[in-house]
């Protein structure tokens, strides 16, 4: 018997796999030697298993199927045995022995036999294709092929036995083995091997004929006398063979061939083949291979599903990917030896501009011709069909020519064909043709069932819009497991290869390559890197965009011209976008307005809107329930919009990118083009982009309810719709819309997109926002922030509208909505408050600045009202009168608003009025801002834009506040005096406040609000006994409905009582309250209040050791909700009522207490508080699983570590905080913008320090650590939009730029790209016509330029920032000899005087400026007054300033045992002096103060040009 040593490595490998799977050694086991054929195995089973015959009776099919596996192989096996000396063929013995063991493993398990039946059927389906093979001799190549077949079967049997042993019997079923991925994959490999070896059957057949021919040759040589006759016989045999081969190729007679050509006559075949060759020739080397390894493609190739969809947006390279896919399939399934193949590959390219290439009938004929050319069985089948009657319709052609041939019974053992079909560009076909093809696909899907299958595999490349076509939802695409998305991430490597191939076309690069001097090589490297980085980054996966860009730059004359061209979109791209939009409008005219509205909302929005928010806006604007919105955005209009903004998308590919820090792009090679490495597309500029990756905008389990103010349900919205923000699929779409909506740049006039309509779009959006607010529509989910968007931006939309271009458009309805809002002062007032879960101050401050800070907005409203005046017939008399007065005066415009504010402040129904829960501070702030407003909308109060509501109170005297209450006539009753008293009592006008409260009580003795106000005033005065008495009185008069306030009042009483006692007695009182309330049920507010009070009493008395004992005791006391009291107390710190600066005080406690393990204990407790998950329902919000609480704890812990000199320990907490923010919904991201920026700035400095070599870092940093932290700094500095990475306009990007320049020694273009976004964003903010927000941009420009090495311009920018402080110092110096008194008091006086008067505020550049810099050192006296002669800024720390005194002693301040513990700064850092001003900075400031704004503008323009 032939042994395994005589066989191929493949067989030996299969044996090893079997042995590993079963734990059984084949060689030496007699069971693998005793079976020569299947009958031998049957006899063995019958002899050793009495139960076998019973099971055989029950499972006859199992054994008959097993015989079917080996029956086609028996004649071939006999030939093999003859070829090796009539010796038993070892692989047969091994396989049969393995099957014997498999049956033993199944013994007495009926369900397991069901699994074997399914397994054997699948194997026999494959071996059945060898039926009818006849061979009398066996050569070595064929013997190796047969051996490989047995090797595959042995591997499958071993895996099956292993699967059987590890599965529970109840899991067994007929298909259980086929559900095992390993077994399924092995069977697929066997199937592909048999199919790919197309010549196997032919080899067997021709082997028999060739054997006859060899015998003739032998006969000829032995019988010379009859040579002529034998030669004649030989020639006849040769002719038979030749004719047979020819017949196999033709398979038909000439008449039948003519019939076939006439029916399938089409010119598209040659066109399609020519296009395919063209696309293959154009493919960049090595591109498109990723699809071959895609799991979905592999499973489709293995016939797991009939259909595979490859969707991609315009220009993403779908056609070239289709060409590569076809090439991959043809390589695997091409006919061999000139014979026929049971597996065929056919393809078709649909093209919109060629009628023949988007006709489905032509498509089917072309596919049929391609299949017939390689499969003779199919060729004969078609002829037989035509002879019976030619199919006329597309449906009939598809069913009779394709489905009928490739459909088979699953139990069939006859050889059948397999067709792979690739169709590209289905979206380019007219809708009618698309629907016809989809109907064909639907019939294909229906042919596959339990008994039959249709072996047609179709892959379709298209834009996603076809998913909106009729019938698409009926073809079985119910999940994403049949869809491959051609995304920028998937095609990153292809794009890189494409770009590098196109580099060779650029003439300038070729010239530099030819010169080969060091200088030319350096220029080549720099230019090539910039081209690769710019094109790969900006293209966002669009190969069309990249190709157009290269078409634009390849012949340019210089590197400078190329770099300039790279900054603009390539020519030709807008034509593609316009053509796509126009085609949709022509195909679906009824949907044109709908599409236009979606464009409007996405284009005009000042932040990305979610699908749910767009649905609501459409409902408001058009009164239509657009239930298909998500489907349309993703599919019908998927070419334009991107809704797949899952911000949890991994950034793994970014980690693999080549770093621009030290790009080793070129080596000494014959050509500089040959060694271009991957270059990161990470130096893209980008601040805000409406296409930004904002992630999901909510995470909700239940439906979102749209309700009105009465709580009535208006609409139920799919919660999934809030998860995704909608943006444009490519930034060029926004650029196109910008072009087409601007009269001076508009190119096309055949589209619905026009400047006038887009101008009206802002009015439409603003009107929708106002209706949303006026109708008091709100969402049940707090994650939807459309209401907040409406409040913040409706006026910004109106300000962008140009009424002069309105023309004939009717705007009366929208202006009527605006008129109603302002006429109803209460409705307008409602727009000044945020939702309950947001800080009200932000919205109210925005409201005050918008309407009273500057005149632009009020002028726009008055201008709009003038349009309404033209059609005043629909106005009531009073409203008409108000409109006319409002047009003339801004004060008249806001009269309804002010009346509403006064009513809410000073008018109540009774003492149980719910309005008393709102003390009206915000309304008074609005009244104060209005009081100095002029009729033309300007404001004489220069502080309007600087102050919050609590600031304005401190800047007004009691008479000034009383004057606000008397702006309009109001009844001077008890509620008037109570409201006025409450505002006076907020800011130390305590005696006046008490006077008004007493007046209120004289008018109404039961006024509990006045009593509470008096108590609070006396408490602030330090008259605690009187405060306690009045608060008790207030409690006695509390209305029943306000009973919940009693605990708050009682807490105030306890606090005042403690103040009356000496420190030791205060501690005893607090301790008694703590012990009395100490329970394990933390749903009790009293318990947590008691902990807070006891903690504060101990801390104020500096009882640090007792504080440690208290915190340890809390840490050891478990609660009923799975936490400890300390965990509850720590999480409670985020609640205003319970906040006691715990984390701010932990460092102080640790430094004074005699407990070395204290800090470690608190850190461990904090970690548990962060990780806490509630185990049951709780009534107190801070115990809920809220990411904002987790964020708060991480941030506080990180700052605690930093502020106490342990920044290294803060890393993990800052990183966790950033992860929570970045993965949160849009509301969290927007509200925590400042938190993220601060945390990222500290992290970046810590990363930067560790990225330096050990000597520079000042620690034991290793080279590996340096690279690791440099990469982390890079990741922190970038964000991802679509497939591209952009530098953030923030400090981490600036610091990474320093790293690239100073440590990685990157070229200038690479490191400057990191600084550019921050500078560009700041320059944009300076162009917004709002001087009140200009100081921070100047700070960013100045500090960034300093860090970029432009000291001159950086100091000029910061010179402007320092102007208020310079004025302050000058005022002090001018008066310090003339005024007697304490110098410190003098400085405080002049600082307040300057803050009120702001002499620089009359200057249009500086009017929004204030004191900006103070020293971070130990000079407390100077820091309190901003009086500095020197200031130095740290280059490596964000917002870190040192005065001259502190700068001179940084080693003593920051070194080991230093006086202060700064978060990140170090004496080793680099510092730049910004005060005194440089001569250039002084000259610029002086010019601006002279109102020589031309010099200032020239300076800014120079910076813009340099950094664009």
């Amino acid at each position: 018997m032939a042994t395994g040593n005589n066989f191929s490595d493949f067989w030996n490998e299969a044996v090893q796999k079997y042995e590993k799977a079963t734990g059984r050694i084949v060689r030496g086991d007699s069971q693998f030697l005793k079976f020569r054929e299947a009958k031998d195995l049957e006899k063995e089973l019958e002899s050793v298993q009495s139960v076998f015959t019973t099971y055989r009776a029950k499972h006859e099919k199992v054994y008959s199927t097993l015989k079917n596996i080996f029956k086609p192989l028996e004649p071939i096996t006999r030939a093999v045995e003859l070829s090796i000396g009539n010796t038993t063929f070892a692989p047969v013995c091994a396989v049969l022995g393995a099957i014997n063991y498999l049956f033993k493993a199944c013994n007495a398990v009926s369900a397991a036999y069901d699994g074997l039946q399914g397994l054997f059927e699948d194997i026999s389906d494959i071996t059945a294709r060898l039926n009818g093979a006849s061979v009398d001799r066996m050569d070595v190549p064929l013997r190796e092929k047969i051996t490989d077949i047995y090797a595959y079967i042995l591997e499958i049997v071993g895996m099956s036995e292993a699967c059987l042993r590890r599965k529970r019997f109840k899991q067994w079923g007929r298909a259980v083995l086929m559900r095992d991925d390993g077994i399924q994959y092995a069977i697929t490999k066997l199937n592909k091997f048999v199919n790919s070896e197309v010549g196997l059957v032919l080899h067997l057949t021709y082997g028999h004929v060739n054997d006859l021919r060899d015998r003739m040759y032998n006969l000829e040589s032995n019988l010379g006398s009859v040579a002529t006759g034998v030669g004649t016989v030989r020639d006849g045999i040769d002719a038979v063979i030749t004719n047979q081969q020819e017949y196999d190729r033709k398979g038909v007679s000439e008449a039948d061939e003519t019939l076939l050509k006439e029916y399938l006559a089409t010119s598209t075949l040659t066109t399609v083949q020519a296009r395919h060759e063209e696309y293959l020739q154009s493919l960049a080397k090595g591109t498109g291979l990723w699809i071959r390894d895609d799991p979905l493609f592999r499973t489709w190739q293995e016939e797991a599903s009939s259909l595979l969809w490859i969707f991609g947006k315009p220009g993403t390279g779908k056609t070239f990917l289709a060409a590569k896919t076809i090439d991959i399939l043809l390589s695997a399934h091409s006919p061999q030896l000139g014979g026929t193949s049971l597996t065929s590959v056919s393809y078709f390219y649909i093209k919109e501009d060629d009628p023949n290439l988007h006709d489905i009938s032509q498509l089917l004929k072309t596919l049929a011709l391609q299949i017939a050319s390689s499969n003779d069985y199919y060729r004969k089948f078609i002829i037989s069909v035509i002879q019976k009657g030619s199919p006329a319709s597309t449906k009939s052609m598809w069913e009779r020519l394709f489905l009928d041939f490739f459909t088979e019974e699953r139990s069939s053992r006859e050889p059948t064909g397999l067709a792979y079909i690739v169709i590209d560009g289905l979206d380019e076909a007219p809708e009618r043709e698309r629907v016809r093809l989809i109907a064909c696909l639907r019939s294909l899907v229906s042919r596959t069932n339990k008994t039959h299958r249709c072996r047609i595999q179709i892959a379709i490349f298209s834009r996603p819009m076809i998913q909106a076509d009729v019938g698409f939802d009926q073809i079985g695409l119910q999940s994403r497991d049949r869809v491959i998305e051609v995304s920028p991430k998937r095609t990153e490597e292809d794009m890189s290869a494409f770009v590098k191939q196109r580099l060779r076309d650029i003439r300038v690069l070729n010239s530099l390559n030819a010169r080969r001097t060091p200088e030319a090589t350096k220029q080549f490297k720099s230019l090539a890197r910039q081209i690769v980085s710019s094109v790969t980054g900006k293209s966002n996966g669009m190969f069309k965009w990249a190709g157009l860009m290269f078409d634009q730059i390849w012949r340019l004359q210089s590197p400078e011209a190329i770099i300039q061209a790279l900054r603009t979109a390539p020519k030709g791209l807008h034509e593609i976008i316009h053509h796509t939009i126009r085609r949709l409008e022509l195909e679906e005219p009824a949907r044109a307005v709908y599409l236009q509205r979606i464009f409007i909302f996405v284009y005009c929005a000042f932040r990305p809107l979610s699908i749910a928010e767009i649905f609501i806006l459409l409902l408001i604007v058009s009164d239509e329930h657009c239930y298909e919105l998500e489907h349309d955005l993703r599919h019908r209009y998927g070419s334009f919009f991107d809704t797949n903004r899952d911000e949890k998308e991994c950034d793994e590919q970014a980690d693999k990118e080549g770093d621009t820090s030290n790009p080793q792009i070129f080596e000494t090679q014959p050509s500089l083009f040959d060694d271009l490495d991957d270059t990161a597309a990470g130096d893209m500029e980008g601040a805000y982009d409406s296409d930004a990756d904002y992630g999901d905008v909510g995470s909700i389990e239940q439906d979102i309810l749209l309700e009105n103010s009465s709580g009535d349900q208006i609409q139920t919205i799919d919660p999934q719709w809030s998860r995704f923000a909608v943006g444009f699929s490519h930034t060029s779409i926004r650029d196109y819309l910008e072009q087409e909506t601007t009269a001076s740049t508009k190119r096309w006039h055949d589209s619905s997109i026009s400047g006038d309509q887009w101008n009206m779009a802002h009015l439409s959006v603003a009107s929708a926002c106002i209706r949303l607010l006026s109708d008091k529509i709100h969402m049940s989910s707090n994650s939807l922030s459309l209401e907040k968007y409406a409040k913040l931006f409706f006026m910004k939309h109106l300000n962008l509208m140009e009424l002069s271009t309105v023309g004939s458009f009717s705007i009366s309805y929208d202006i009527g909505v605006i008129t109603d809002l302002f006429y109803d002062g209460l409705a307008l007032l409602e727009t000044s408050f945020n939702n309950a879960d947001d800080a009200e101050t932000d919205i109210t401050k925005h409201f005050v600045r918008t309407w009273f800070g500057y005149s632009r907005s009020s002028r726009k409203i008055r201008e709009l009202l003038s349009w309404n005046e033209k059609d005043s017939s629909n106005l009531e008399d009073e409203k008409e009168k108000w409109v006319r007065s409002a047009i003339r005066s801004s004060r008249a415009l806001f009269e309804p608003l002010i009346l509403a504010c006064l009513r809410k402040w000073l008018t109540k129904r009774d003492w149980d009025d719910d309005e008393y829960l709102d003390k009206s501070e915000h309304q008074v702030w609005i009244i104060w801002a209005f009081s100095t407003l002029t009729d033309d909308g300007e404001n004489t109060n220069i502080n309007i834009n600087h102050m919050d509501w609590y600031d304005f109170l401190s800047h007004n005297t009691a008479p000034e506040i009383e004057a606000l209450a008397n702006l309009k006539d109001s009844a001077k009753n008890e509620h008037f005096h109570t409201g006025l008293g409450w505002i006076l009592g907020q800011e130390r006008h305590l005696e006046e406040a008490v006077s008004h409260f007493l007046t209120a009580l004289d008018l109404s003795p039961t006024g509990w609000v006045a009593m509470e106000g008096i108590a609070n005033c006396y408490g602030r005065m330090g008259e605690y006994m009187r405060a306690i008495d009045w608060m008790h009185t207030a409690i006695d008069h509390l209305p029943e409905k306000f009973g919940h306030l009693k605990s708050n009042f009682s807490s105030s009483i306890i606090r005042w009582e403690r103040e009356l006692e000496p420190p030791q007695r205060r501690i005893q009182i607090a301790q008694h309250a703590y012990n009395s309330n100490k329970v394990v049920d933390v749903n009790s507010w009293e318990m947590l209040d008691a902990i807070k009070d006891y903690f504060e009493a101990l801390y104020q008395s500096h009882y640090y050791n007792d504080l440690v004992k208290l915190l340890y005791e809390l840490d050891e006391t478990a609660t009923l909700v799975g936490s400890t009291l300390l965990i509850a107390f720590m999480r409670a710190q985020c609640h205003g009522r319970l906040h006691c600066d715990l984390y701010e005080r932990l460092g102080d406690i640790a430094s004074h207490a005699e407990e070395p393990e204290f800090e470690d204990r608190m850190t461990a407790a904090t970690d548990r508080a962060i990780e806490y998950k509630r185990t049951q329902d709780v009534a107190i919000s801070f115990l809920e699983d809220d990411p904002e609480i987790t964020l708060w704890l991480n941030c506080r812990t990180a700052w605690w570590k930093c502020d106490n000199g342990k920044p290294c320990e803060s890393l993990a907490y800052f990183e966790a905080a950033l992860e929570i923010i970045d993965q949160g919904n849009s509301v969290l991201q927007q509200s925590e913008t400042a938190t993220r920026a601060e945390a990222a700035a500290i992290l970046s400095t810590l990363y930067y320090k560790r990225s330096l070599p050990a000597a520079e870092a000042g620690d034991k940093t290793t080279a590996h650590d340096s690279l690791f932290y440099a990469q982390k700094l890079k990741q922190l500095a970038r964000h991802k939009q679509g497939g591209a990475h952009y530098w953030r306009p923030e400090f981490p990007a600036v610091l990474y730029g320093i790293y690239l320049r100073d440590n990685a020694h990157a070229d200038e273009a690479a490191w400057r790209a990191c600084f550019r976004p921050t500078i560009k964003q700041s320059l944009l903010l300076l162009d917004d016509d709002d001087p009140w927000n200009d100081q921070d941009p100047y700070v960013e420009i100045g500090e960034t330029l300093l860090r970029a090495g432009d000291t001159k311009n950086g100091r000029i920018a910061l010179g402007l920032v320092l102007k208020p402080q310079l004025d302050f110092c000058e005022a002090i110096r001018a008066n310090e000899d003339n005024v007697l008194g304490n110098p410190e008091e003098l400085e405080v006086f002049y600082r307040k005087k300057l803050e009120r008067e702001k002499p620089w505020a009359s200057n249009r550049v500086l009017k929004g400026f204030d004191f900006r810099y103070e020293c971070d050192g130990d000079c407390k006296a100077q820091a309190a007054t901003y009086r500095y002669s020197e200031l130095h800024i740290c280059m490596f720390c964000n917002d870190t300033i040192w005065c001259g005194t502190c700068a001179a002693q940084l080693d003593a301040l920051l070194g080991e045992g230093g006086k202060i513990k700064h978060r990140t700064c170090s004496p080793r850092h680099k510092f730049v002096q910004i005060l005194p001003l440089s001569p250039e900075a002084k000259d610029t400031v002086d010019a601006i103060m002279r109102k020589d704004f031309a010099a200032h503008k020239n300076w800014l323009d120079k910076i813009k040009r340099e950094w664009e």
Side-chain angles (χ1 to χ4, degrees), residues 774-981:
S774 299
D775 296 341
K776 296 182 177 60
I777 298 174
H778 66 278
M779 283 64 72
S780 61
S781 169
N782 290 332
S783 64
L784 286 172
S785 53
L786 185 58
E787 183 180 343
K788 183 175 182 179
Y789 177 91
K791 292 175 180 179
L792 284 173
F793 296 121
F794 86 84
M795 193 59 230
K796 194 168 182 179
H797 283 292
L798 291 178
N799 279 330
L800 290 175
M801 180 187 175
E802 290 293 338
L803 280 173
S804 60
T805 64
V806 168
S808 59
F809 286 95
S810 173
I811 62 174
S812 58
Y813 175 79
D814 293 318
I815 292 182
V817 171
I818 297 170
T819 302
D820 291 342
L821 175 69
F822 281 81
Y823 184 66
D824 182 355
L826 186 59
L828 182 59
L829 177 62
E830 291 292 330
T831 68
S832 71
F833 296 102
N834 206 347
N835 300 332
D837 60 329
D838 280 325
E840 293 182 334
T841 306
D842 292 339
I843 294 292
T844 310
K845 185 174 184 178
H846 171 82
F847 182 91
V848 169
R849 289 184 59 187
T850 299
W851 300 116
F852 307 110
Y854 49 95
S855 60
R856 179 184 180 186
S857 296
S858 59
R859 283 202 309 268
K860 177 65 72 174
I861 296 297
R862 289 158 59 200
E863 187 181 3
L864 288 167
L865 292 180
S866 67
W867 278 73
N868 212 2
E869 188 185 23
K870 297 175 185 177
D871 184 19
S872 58
S873 59
N874 62 335
L875 298 177
E876 301 170 359
D877 291 343
E878 286 298 321
K879 184 183 290 188
E880 181 182 357
K881 181 180 177 180
W882 170 79
V883 167
R884 290 175 179 171
S885 61
I887 292 170
R888 296 189 298 271
S889 166
S890 289
R891 289 185 65 84
L893 173 67
F894 293 114
E895 274 203 18
L897 169 68
I898 300 307
L899 288 173
C901 288
L902 288 167
R903 283 197 298 270
K904 289 185 74 69
W905 177 23
L906 302 171
T907 304
K908 304 291 188 296
R909 289 184 300 100
D910 204 344
W911 294 113
D912 63 352
D913 194 327
D914 289 337
E915 293 293 338
Y916 265 125
L917 298 178
D918 176 11
K919 299 303 189 292
S920 302
E921 293 95 339
H922 299 295
Q923 288 89 328
V924 178
W925 184 17
I926 292 170
I927 297 169
W928 171 73
F930 169 82
S931 66
T932 51
L933 189 72
T934 64
D935 284 334
D936 62 359
E938 299 292 342
N939 206 305
T940 60
N941 189 335
I942 60 175
N943 290 307
I944 288 293
N945 292 297
H946 287 290
M947 296 183 181
D948 292 322
W949 68 269
Y950 41 81
D951 291 327
F952 93 85
L953 289 174
S954 64
H955 282 75
N956 286 272
T957 64
E960 288 172 336
I961 295 175
E962 289 171 340
L964 296 179
N966 290 294
L967 275 178
K968 302 292 180 183
D969 291 336
S970 300
K972 305 300 188 290
N973 57 19
E974 62 271 23
H975 303 298
F976 173 92
H977 288 287
T978 299
L980 181 54

Side-chain angles (χ1 to χ4, degrees), residues 548-598:
L548 290 170
M549 179 56 77
F550 276 105
D551 292 343
Q552 187 170 319
I553 66 174
W554 74 273
R555 66 180 72 191
L556 293 179
Q557 71 278 10
S558 67
E560 293 77 13
I562 290 174
I563 292 171
Q564 181 62 35
L566 289 172
R567 294 172 180 165
T568 61
K571 297 176 181 177
L573 187 61
H574 286 181
E575 282 85 346
I576 298 173
I577 298 172
H578 175 76
H579 175 73
T580 307
I581 293 176
R582 184 63 182 146
R583 190 177 73 185
L584 279 172
E585 291 177 340
L586 291 174
E587 280 191 4
E588 303 173 332
R591 286 174 162 263
V593 174
Y594 169 60
L595 174 60
Q596 185 187 54
R597 282 176 174 151
I598 298 175

Side-chain angles (χ1 to χ4, degrees), residues 488-506:
K489 186 176 181 64
R490 286 178 179 269
T491 59
E492 276 180 332
E493 293 183 5
D494 288 356
M495 177 61 74
S496 179
F498 172 76
V499 170
K500 290 172 186 176
Q501 175 177 290
R502 290 298 304 269
L503 284 179
R504 298 174 182 272
D505 299 334
I506 297 177

Side-chain angles (χ1 to χ4, degrees), residues 1396-1422:
R1396 292 177 65 88
E1397 297 175 358
K1398 287 187 169 60
W1400 59 86
S1402 60
N1403 189 288
R1404 77 182 190 195
V1405 174
L1406 304 176
K1407 75 162 49 175
F1409 284 24
D1410 207 338
F1411 294 178
R1412 181 62 172 79
Y1413 286 123
E1414 62 178 303
C1415 180
D1416 289 305
D1418 200 37
C1419 50
K1420 299 302 182 185
Q1422 288 187 353

